[in-house]
Amino acid sequence: MPVQPQRGLRWIETYVPGKPIEEVQREYGLEDVVKLASNENPLGPSPKAAAAIAAALPNLNRYPDGQSYYLRRALAARLGLDMEYITVGNGADGLIMQTCMAYLDEGDVAVVSRSSFPVYDIYVHAMRGTLVKTPLRDFRLDLPAMAHRAAQGAKLVFVCNPNNPTGTIVTADEVEEFMAQVPDEVLVVFDEAYHEFVDAPDYPDGLGYVREGRPNVLVLRTLSKVYGLAGVRLGYAVGRPEVIAPLRKIKEPFAVNYLAQVAGVAALDDEEFLRRYVALNRQEREYLYGEFARLGLRYVPSHTNFILVEVGPQAAEVQERLLAQGVIVRPCGGYDLPDFLRVSVGSHAQNARFTAALERVLTGTDG
Ligand SMILES: *Cc1c(COP(=O)(O)O)cnc(C)c1O
């Protein structure tokens, strides 16, 4: 009998990330490859963060500060909260893992939406929790259904807002109603990985619930997306100190490495970079909408730096044929949306390259 992994792993489907550029270059013998599969910043990293990392290299022999003091202090100042309200992690992914470890006992129910971020599923199963999925409604989270299920004895609810991979939001009024129905003993996790991109006036700020003293709210954010630091791995969680303390208790002692800490402090001071990217993203999203309309493709209007576009039952094949032309996008079969692709909004040149390749595939002129 070979050694057996713990039972929760039977339910886990291994996370498939966007294909790395080098892999596509290798497999297809291509030089010029465009990746629009992982919602990365097309402007590169925050220049201030990159400079801070370069300056920090001589200190790599030292362990990082396990409490990430300066980083948490910078976040606290920015958010106008006490440092005890904040913990940092190895990406928001690492914080999702810590949240599940800190709050789920075997058999506890966690409510998520279908067609949402798959990392929740992995760690709920890893803790041998019970995953309950509610369907989407018009590509949006069905908050009334999630609240209903949460009130029947759940422990955790993940509200991905905006939702990945649909790019849609739930509104402040909807969240208010949801919060009124969810019992205090259910932890509500607002995953706000894309909040900086949203300009809808009715977008709720999960931090408002933390500020007003809600005992059951945790907000997750990341520096991977808008600050262009996906390769560094840095996210943060905000909640009342009693909610945060269990996450800190089970954290890896040095989960946030030294380079991530200095990069994070510098990036938070790089407002100009953030604004430039958000403006570019808004403009290029409109360009892609126009191109999709021209090609007769239905898409879901997005509040983020990616767009869900419907290409039909042959979507997986379209994605393969785009790869052969050096364009990496995300197939959505694993998100229960097999007719769709998720494409990140890139630079104008990248987006134009993508739409030209897509047009060739759709018209059969790519071979
Ligand atoms: C990208 C993403 C994350 C993870 O961010 P990292 O900080 O890179 O781990 C979390 N949630 C959602 C919805 C995301 O799209």
PDB file of all heavy atoms in Angstrom, residues 224 228-233:
ATOM      1  N   SER A 224      -0.933  42.003  -6.187  1.00  0.00           N
ATOM      2  CA  SER A 224      -0.593  41.318  -7.444  1.00  0.00           C
ATOM      3  C   SER A 224      -1.150  42.024  -8.665  1.00  0.00           C
ATOM      4  O   SER A 224      -0.559  41.973  -9.738  1.00  0.00           O
ATOM      5  CB  SER A 224      -1.161  39.897  -7.446  1.00  0.00           C
ATOM      6  OG  SER A 224      -0.532  39.106  -6.484  1.00  0.00           O
ATOM      7  N   GLY A 228       1.032  45.465  -9.849  1.00  0.00           N
ATOM      8  CA  GLY A 228       1.953  44.740 -10.719  1.00  0.00           C
ATOM      9  C   GLY A 228       2.987  43.903  -9.987  1.00  0.00           C
ATOM     10  O   GLY A 228       4.109  43.756 -10.442  1.00  0.00           O
ATOM     11  N   LEU A 229       2.609  43.329  -8.833  1.00  0.00           N
ATOM     12  CA  LEU A 229       3.583  42.570  -8.048  1.00  0.00           C
ATOM     13  C   LEU A 229       3.204  41.090  -7.924  1.00  0.00           C
ATOM     14  O   LEU A 229       3.524  40.447  -6.917  1.00  0.00           O
ATOM     15  CB  LEU A 229       3.739  43.207  -6.654  1.00  0.00           C
ATOM     16  CG  LEU A 229       4.354  44.614  -6.644  1.00  0.00           C
ATOM     17  CD1 LEU A 229       4.408  45.163  -5.215  1.00  0.00           C
ATOM     18  CD2 LEU A 229       5.755  44.614  -7.254  1.00  0.00           C
ATOM     19  N   ALA A 230       2.571  40.537  -8.956  1.00  0.00           N
ATOM     20  CA  ALA A 230       2.133  39.135  -8.884  1.00  0.00           C
ATOM     21  C   ALA A 230       3.294  38.185  -8.595  1.00  0.00           C
ATOM     22  O   ALA A 230       3.140  37.192  -7.882  1.00  0.00           O
ATOM     23  CB  ALA A 230       1.426  38.739 -10.178  1.00  0.00           C
ATOM     24  N   GLY A 231       4.475  38.496  -9.138  1.00  0.00           N
ATOM     25  CA  GLY A 231       5.623  37.611  -8.961  1.00  0.00           C
ATOM     26  C   GLY A 231       6.224  37.667  -7.569  1.00  0.00           C
ATOM     27  O   GLY A 231       6.976  36.775  -7.167  1.00  0.00           O
ATOM     28  N   VAL A 232       5.896  38.709  -6.816  1.00  0.00           N
ATOM     29  CA  VAL A 232       6.458  38.900  -5.479  1.00  0.00           C
ATOM     30  C   VAL A 232       5.654  38.141  -4.420  1.00  0.00           C
ATOM     31  O   VAL A 232       6.194  37.683  -3.428  1.00  0.00           O
ATOM     32  CB  VAL A 232       6.502  40.424  -5.177  1.00  0.00           C
ATOM     33  CG1 VAL A 232       6.569  40.697  -3.700  1.00  0.00           C
ATOM     34  CG2 VAL A 232       7.701  41.059  -5.875  1.00  0.00           C
ATOM     35  N   ARG A 233       4.350  38.001  -4.646  1.00  0.00           N
ATOM     36  CA  ARG A 233       3.416  37.318  -3.756  1.00  0.00           C
ATOM     37  C   ARG A 233       3.157  38.114  -2.484  1.00  0.00           C
ATOM     38  O   ARG A 233       3.853  37.963  -1.480  1.00  0.00           O
ATOM     39  CB  ARG A 233       3.896  35.890  -3.382  1.00  0.00           C
ATOM     40  CG  ARG A 233       4.377  35.030  -4.529  1.00  0.00           C
ATOM     41  CD  ARG A 233       3.339  34.857  -5.627  1.00  0.00           C
ATOM     42  NE  ARG A 233       2.098  34.320  -5.092  1.00  0.00           N
ATOM     43  CZ  ARG A 233       0.902  34.873  -5.305  1.00  0.00           C
ATOM     44  NH1 ARG A 233       0.763  35.955  -6.040  1.00  0.00           N
ATOM     45  NH2 ARG A 233      -0.165  34.334  -4.790  1.00  0.00           N
TER      46      ARG A 233
END
